[in-house]
Amino acid sequence: MSFLRNSDDKKNKRVQDVNRYLEFNLGEERFAIPLLTVKEVIAVPETTKVPFTPDYFLGVMNLRGQVLSVIDLRRRMGITPRTGSTETAVIITDLGFTHLGVVVDSINRVLAVEGTDFAPPPEIEKNSKTDFVTGCYKSDKHLVLFLDVNKILDREEKELLVQSTETSQAG
């Protein structure tokens, strides 16, 4: 009986040590975000542009009665969209204070990453422009960078998201 309990403990420990991420492409590069922050994945919707916003801010959309801001993550990060591909998707993410639609080139898969497979962020000059990279993972022949979408936006950009959503809901 203790053998079974020990085996179950090992199995439960393995399950706890595995984190799940949604892997996607931006241009030719692979990125991933924690699956727990993903609410859903949808086709690129029609958006309403909000005046005087940055070029990566595509506007707001109506998702089943909820107004959400949508950004093009490729433009925000200065990545050229994949050439020859018309496939794009929007990942609806939970930032804690609001939901955000993030345009990506394509969705690849859900990654199950064990703690030992997760490497710290690459050694790059520390600054607020790269704090959103939380780690990396070598997958097959590719390197996948893990992102914290909440850190991609600075304080002013987060305020802009909330304001644009509130303005659209009020009108």
Side-chain angles (χ1 to χ4, degrees), residues 37-99:
T37 65
V38 176
K39 294 300 169 197
E40 64 185 293
V41 177
I42 61 172
V44 177
E46 187 175 313
T47 58
T48 301
K49 185 72 175 153
V50 178
F52 308 110
T53 56
D55 70 331
Y56 63 86
F57 185 79
L58 300 180
V60 292
M61 64 174 268
N62 181 349
L63 182 65
R64 294 183 293 281
Q66 182 180 10
V67 177
L68 302 174
S69 296
V70 180
I71 67 167
D72 187 328
L73 194 54
R74 301 165 299 187
R75 287 186 196 166
R76 176 64 180 102
M77 294 176 58
I79 296 173
T80 304
R82 187 183 288 178
T83 56
S85 175
T86 58
E87 179 185 1
T88 55
V90 175
I91 303 170
I92 306 299
T93 61
D94 183 357
L95 299 181
F97 62 94
T98 191
H99 290 98

Side-chain angles (χ1 to χ4, degrees), residues 89 122 127 151:
N127 63 44
K151 290 183 178 180

